[in-house]
């Protein structure tokens, strides 16, 4: 099995308080956008598909979003030897704009989304409408390939060593992908754990994501993750590139230059 973390841009100078609930820190962070590719036993799986162009993002979101030319989804996939037409499954950890905007790129893939997430994306609380791009005159990005979406509930094994697991709290239908490789068990955690500052293996000391629909579920998810006995891979933290999970040649594509 090979797992790759392909960076497709970053939002610069985001207050840490936007990621870590209740934080009083004045620090800012870069919020990195990753597309993960799992190649396992003849099956190709993409976990999250990133954002549209920097111009589009800056028009609709309050972020200083940047993407180097080589970080476009098409370029990082080509550099990794992945033909989007050969991808069998896309897993969206949830349907926030920065996790599902390139679903249509994978024309032959079945798209696995938690059923509760689909329901909420259609009718979110007003405070969450922008995160789902439920905005006047826009088509929400997940709808670009809605005809290939399969609504799933609970855990689902995709192939040997790759299992989708529910991680609710950040959103009602957040989910992660547990991979079991020669380097052990690793969890692609989505925004349930967006940056390392959210996570503590002593799960009671973990700190929920600032954006959440259910704080109690956030902590039930932390307890569940602690019980998985795995390495946690946050969705937006560039320090994941140091994980033994990712093969070097591909991660180098995504390194700072
Ligand atoms: Zn999110």
């Amino acid at each position: 099995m090979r797992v790759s973390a392909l960076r497709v841009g970053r939002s610069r100078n985001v207050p840490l308080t936007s990621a870590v609930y209740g934080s009083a820190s004045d620090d800012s962070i870069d919020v990195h956008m990753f597309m993960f590719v799992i190649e396992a036993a003849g099956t190709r799986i993409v976990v999250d598909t990133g954002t549209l162009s920097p111009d589009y993002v800056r028009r609709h979101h309050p972020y200083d979003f940047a993407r180097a030319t080589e970080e476009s989804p098409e370029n990082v996939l080509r550099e990794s030897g992945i033909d989007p037409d050969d991808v069998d499954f896309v897993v969206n950890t949830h349907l926030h704009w920065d996790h599902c905007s390139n679903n249509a790129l994978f024309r032959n893939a079945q798209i696995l989304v938690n059923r509760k997430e689909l329901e909420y994306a259609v009718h979110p609380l007003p405070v969450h409408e922008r995160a789902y791009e439920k905005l006047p005159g826009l088509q929400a990005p997940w709808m670009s390939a809605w005809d290939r979406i399969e609504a799933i509930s609970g855990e689902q094994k995709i192939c040997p060593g790759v299992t989708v697991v529910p991680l609710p709290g950040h959103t009602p239908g957040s989910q992660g992908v547990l991979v079991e490789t020669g380097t052990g068990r690793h969890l692609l955690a989505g925004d349930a754990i967006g940056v390392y500052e959210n996570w503590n293996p002593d799960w009671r000391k973990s700190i929920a994501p600032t954006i959440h629909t259910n704080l109690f579920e956030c902590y039930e998810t932390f307890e569940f993750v602690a019980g998985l006995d795995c390495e946690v891979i946050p969705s937006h933290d560039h320090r994941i590139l140091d994980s033994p999970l990712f093969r070097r040649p591909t991660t180098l594509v995504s390194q700072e230059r």
Side-chain angles (χ1 to χ4, degrees):
M1 184 189 303
R2 295 194 304 187
V3 185
S4 311
L6 310 178
R7 187 168 55 198
V8 291
R10 79 189 85 164
S11 295
R12 296 179 290 203
N13 295 316
V14 177
L16 187 62
T17 53
S18 300
V20 181
Y21 180 60
S23 170
S25 170
D26 292 331
D27 290 349
S28 293
I29 56 172
D30 280 2
V31 172
H32 297 254
M33 310 296 177
F34 287 101
M35 182 185 289
F36 298 96
V37 180
I38 303 167
E39 298 164 88
T43 304
R44 292 183 181 82
I45 303 156
V46 168
V47 180
D48 285 342
T49 62
T51 75
L52 294 180
S53 71
D55 279 353
Y56 180 92
V57 173
R58 286 196 289 260
R59 207 159 49 240
H60 299 293
H61 299 278
Y63 297 114
D64 177 18
F65 183 75
R67 169 186 284 166
T69 305
E70 65 266 26
E71 290 180 329
S72 75
E74 293 86 351
N75 284 346
V76 292
L77 289 164
R78 188 181 312 116
E79 191 75 23
S80 302
I82 304 292
D83 183 340
D85 286 352
D86 292 339
V87 170
D88 304 290
F89 297 96
V90 167
V91 178
N92 291 135
T93 60
H94 59 303
L95 295 177
H96 283 169
W97 63 282
D98 51 333
H99 293 260
C100 63
S101 286
N102 295 291
N103 284 4
L105 196 58
F106 304 96
R107 296 183 296 184
N108 300 314
Q110 198 171 47
I111 298 168
L112 306 180
V113 183
N114 185 280
R115 182 176 298 277
K116 291 179 183 170
E117 188 70 9
L118 280 167
E119 289 176 7
Y120 191 64
V122 170
H123 196 63
L125 287 168
V127 72
H128 293 145
E129 285 178 343
R130 184 167 300 278
Y132 287 96
E133 288 188 3
K134 185 177 181 182
L135 298 169
L138 280 192
Q139 175 180 267
W142 60 271
M143 297 185 80
S144 65
W146 72 272
D147 54 316
R148 288 183 282 109
I149 286 178
E150 181 182 338
I152 63 174
S153 301
E155 289 194 12
Q156 181 154 323
K157 187 174 181 176
I158 301 179
C159 65
V162 183
T163 305
V164 179
V165 294
L167 304 173
H170 172 62
T171 63
S174 277
Q175 55 190 4
V177 179
L178 185 65
V179 294
E180 301 181 53
T181 75
T183 54
R185 287 153 67 89
H186 310 264
L187 178 69
L188 305 176
D191 284 358
I193 299 167
V195 292
Y196 284 109
E197 282 80 357
N198 294 115
W199 176 242
N200 189 315
D202 180 356
W203 66 267
R204 289 179 182 81
K205 295 179 181 171
S206 293
I207 307 176
T210 300
I211 298 175
H212 54 259
T213 55
N214 188 318
L215 195 56
F216 296 99
E217 283 185 345
C218 287
Y219 282 85
E220 288 163 10
T221 284
F222 288 146
E223 184 177 13
F224 170 74
V225 171
L228 291 176
D229 191 24
C230 62
E231 185 204 13
V232 169
I233 306 289
S235 58
H236 289 301
D237 198 315
H238 73 283
R239 292 168 287 183
I240 64 171
L241 296 174
D242 294 329
S243 166
L245 176 62
F246 303 117
R247 60 189 173 119
R248 293 303 291 170
T250 300
T251 57
L252 281 173
V253 171
S254 303
Q255 296 281 13
E256 297 274 357
R257 296 196 175 173

